[in-house]
Amino acid sequence: MSEYILQGGKIYTEDGVIDNGYLKIKDGLISYIGHEPYEGDLDVIHVSGSHILPGFIDIHIHGGYGHDAMDADEEGLKHLSKNLLSEGTTSYLATTMTQSNEAIIDALHTIAHYQQQQTTHEAEILGVHLEGPFISEHKVGAQNPKYVQRPTIAQINAFQKAANQLIKIITIAPEVEGAHDVIKAYSNDIIFSMGHTVATYDEANVAVQCGVKHITHLYNAATPFTHRDPGVFGAAWTNPFLRCELIGDGIHSHPTSVDIAFKMNGLSHMFLITDAMRAKGLGPGEYDLGGQNVTVTHETARLENGALAGSILKMNEGLKNLIQYTHRNLEDLWRVTSYNQAKALNILHQKGSIREGKHADIVIVDDDINVLKTIKMGYVCNNVNDKNA
């Protein structure tokens, strides 16, 4: 259908919630928002009793459904992108790992080539989140310490060329040699995010002055808060120029810590992410992450040394958890799944909220935040996971 009506439910917009209104979808865009029941001759999709949200934007995801961005496999990216619709994710940043330069460049080439031929029947790759290799060897987490390196302008140029200029975020340890130079050189074009770092509170704030804007997976792989050294966490809570990713699985961060982060930072400073790896959407077992063996249960993914190795979280599950952990409602929290991400990536004119003229990227959920339908550029997916897609 090139033109149809989405009727009923609660529509969550920047200006508030519309109860029992409708959206007119035409040629992949939201062409009209009605505040009353539709009366007309167009085909109608009835979604009464549901919640209509902007499609989720995951800015930190390595993989899922059996595939990983570092596989450098276009069929794998296609499979991942199709299945992400089942959790309401309509756009994402394909996220790399700390591996050899050759492996990273191969992955970047593949992502860039595949991104140019994607269809509207799958979640859209908006760009790349380069997580490493410019991190601290003292906070590698599930990254491979063998491939940690110091940042240089030449190396970032090489990565960005391989990615066809698609690198949007780089996770970096701002205290390491060369970090300040590359942050200053690229901060107008790339979002630098503190992560896998042993930066002190003062070093974190100096990094912000150099151009750092984000913190990668808040609470994980960074210096903790103490009363004598507030660390990166203290900078996250007090520096108004920092925005924070947060893995909303209740495992990477205690639910109360999640609540504290939202109280300290406010909604406009938070991004829900999954940091998911290839086991998402599959069952328990042994999997690979960046060349390292990962044991996955129904709840966690861990390396042999016990370190958490990404998550198996889905975006809709993360949103459900945030409602429980922060005691906030959907009217507040939808913004941390889409609006804030679109604003940070400078695509708010196209995505991130339900507004006339924007892309028809929409997720429809029930009261328990189960995904009923996902709409990508007007294409309606009924969202039963297809592991063979």
Side-chain angles (χ1 to χ4, degrees):
M1 295 182 289
S2 62
E3 187 174 14
Y4 61 91
I5 298 297
L6 202 59
Q7 167 71 56
K10 294 183 176 180
I11 304 170
Y12 292 76
T13 75
E14 296 174 43
D15 302 317
V17 179
I18 301 169
D19 201 355
N20 201 31
Y22 69 91
L23 301 179
K24 181 186 288 186
I25 310 298
K26 183 177 181 181
D27 297 329
L29 302 177
I30 301 169
S31 65
Y32 185 76
I33 301 176
H35 291 251
E36 65 288 317
Y38 173 73
E39 295 181 5
D41 298 326
L42 291 174
D43 290 334
V44 177
I45 297 176
H46 293 279
V47 291
S48 298
S50 66
H51 305 270
I52 303 171
L53 309 171
F56 303 142
I57 303 174
D58 193 350
I59 62 172
H60 188 152
I61 171 174
H62 298 278
Y65 308 97
H67 299 276
D68 188 287
M70 289 302 298
D71 294 342
D73 175 16
E74 292 192 32
E75 283 301 313
L77 289 172
K78 181 178 181 179
H79 182 98
L80 171 64
S81 299
K82 283 187 173 183
N83 278 276
L84 285 176
L85 294 176
S86 70
E87 61 192 72
T89 296
T90 53
S91 304
Y92 69 105
L93 295 185
T95 305
T96 59
M97 291 281 290
T98 300
Q99 289 194 20
S100 68
N101 287 345
E102 293 76 15
I104 294 171
I105 286 173
D106 195 17
L108 294 175
H109 272 304
T110 305
I111 293 165
H113 185 264
Y114 179 68
Q115 190 257 2
Q116 293 183 342
Q117 55 184 325
Q118 279 197 280
T119 72
T120 57
H121 293 188
E122 56 198 64
E124 176 183 358
I125 296 176
L126 298 173
V128 171
H129 181 156
L130 195 77
E131 189 183 15
F134 311 125
I135 60 175
S136 170
E137 59 271 25
H138 305 296
K139 282 286 185 181
V140 291
Q143 306 279 336
N144 193 330
K146 177 181 177 181
Y147 298 113
V148 170
Q149 62 177 278
R150 296 298 178 249
T152 66
I153 289 174
Q155 190 58 65
I156 291 180
N157 281 339
F159 285 154
Q160 191 67 298
K161 181 179 179 181
N164 195 27
Q165 309 302 309
L166 278 178
I167 296 173
K168 306 298 183 183
I169 298 176
I170 294 179
T171 291
I172 194 167
E175 74 279 7
V176 304
E177 181 182 359
H180 286 184
D181 289 339
V182 300
I183 293 166
K184 290 175 182 177
Y186 290 99
S187 61
N188 289 332
D189 303 309
I190 296 171
I191 297 168
F192 284 93
S193 184
M194 276 186 280
H196 295 275
T197 173
V198 292
T200 65
Y201 174 79
D202 290 335
E203 287 172 333
N205 285 301
V206 169
V208 174
Q209 294 173 9
C210 291
V212 166
K213 297 181 177 70
H214 287 191
I215 291 178
T216 296
H217 43 49
L218 180 66
Y219 296 131
N220 302 117
T223 46
F225 173 88
T226 71
H227 61 294
R228 291 193 177 92
D229 184 358
V232 169
F233 302 167
W237 295 333
T238 59
N239 193 308
F241 299 104
L242 282 172
R243 305 295 187 267
C244 301
E245 301 177 352
L246 196 143
I247 306 168
D249 61 359
I251 297 165
H252 281 78
S253 303
H254 190 280
T256 297
S257 298
V258 173
D259 189 29
I260 289 170
F262 274 79
K263 283 184 167 69
M264 295 298 293
N265 291 359
L267 288 167
S268 65
H269 286 60
M270 301 298 295
F271 308 99
L272 173 66
I273 63 164
T274 64
D275 195 11
M277 49 86 72
R278 73 173 73 247
K280 184 201 348 217
L282 306 179
E286 301 296 316
Y287 296 89
D288 169 84
L289 179 66
Q292 301 179 94
N293 187 64
V294 179
T295 299
V296 174
T297 68
H298 288 293
E299 294 182 342
T300 65
R302 294 183 183 272
L303 298 180
E304 292 176 355
N305 64 9
L308 286 168
S311 85
I312 51 174
L313 182 69
K314 299 177 181 179
M315 280 291 280
N316 65 304
E317 295 169 346
L319 177 55
K320 180 178 180 178
N321 289 342
L322 291 187
I323 293 171
Q324 178 183 347
Y325 300 162
T326 68
H327 311 290
R328 296 173 185 258
N329 58 34
L330 198 54
E331 186 173 356
D332 290 334
L333 287 171
W334 71 262
R335 290 168 173 80
V336 308
T337 68
S338 57
Y339 183 91
N340 295 349
Q341 289 87 335
K343 185 176 181 180
L345 295 172
N346 293 318
I347 55 170
L348 192 55
H349 61 291
Q350 296 177 322
K351 303 179 186 295
S353 66
I354 294 175
R355 184 176 288 276
E356 291 172 1
K358 288 193 176 186
H359 294 171
D361 289 0
I362 295 164
V363 56
I364 303 167
V365 300
D366 64 16
D367 290 341
D368 291 324
I369 320 300
N370 297 308
V371 176
L372 304 175
K373 296 181 188 295
T374 301
I375 298 172
K376 175 60 186 172
M377 293 292 290
Y379 168 74
V380 181
C381 171
N382 286 320
N383 285 343
V384 175
N385 272 350
D386 179 6
K387 296 176 183 176
N388 299 309

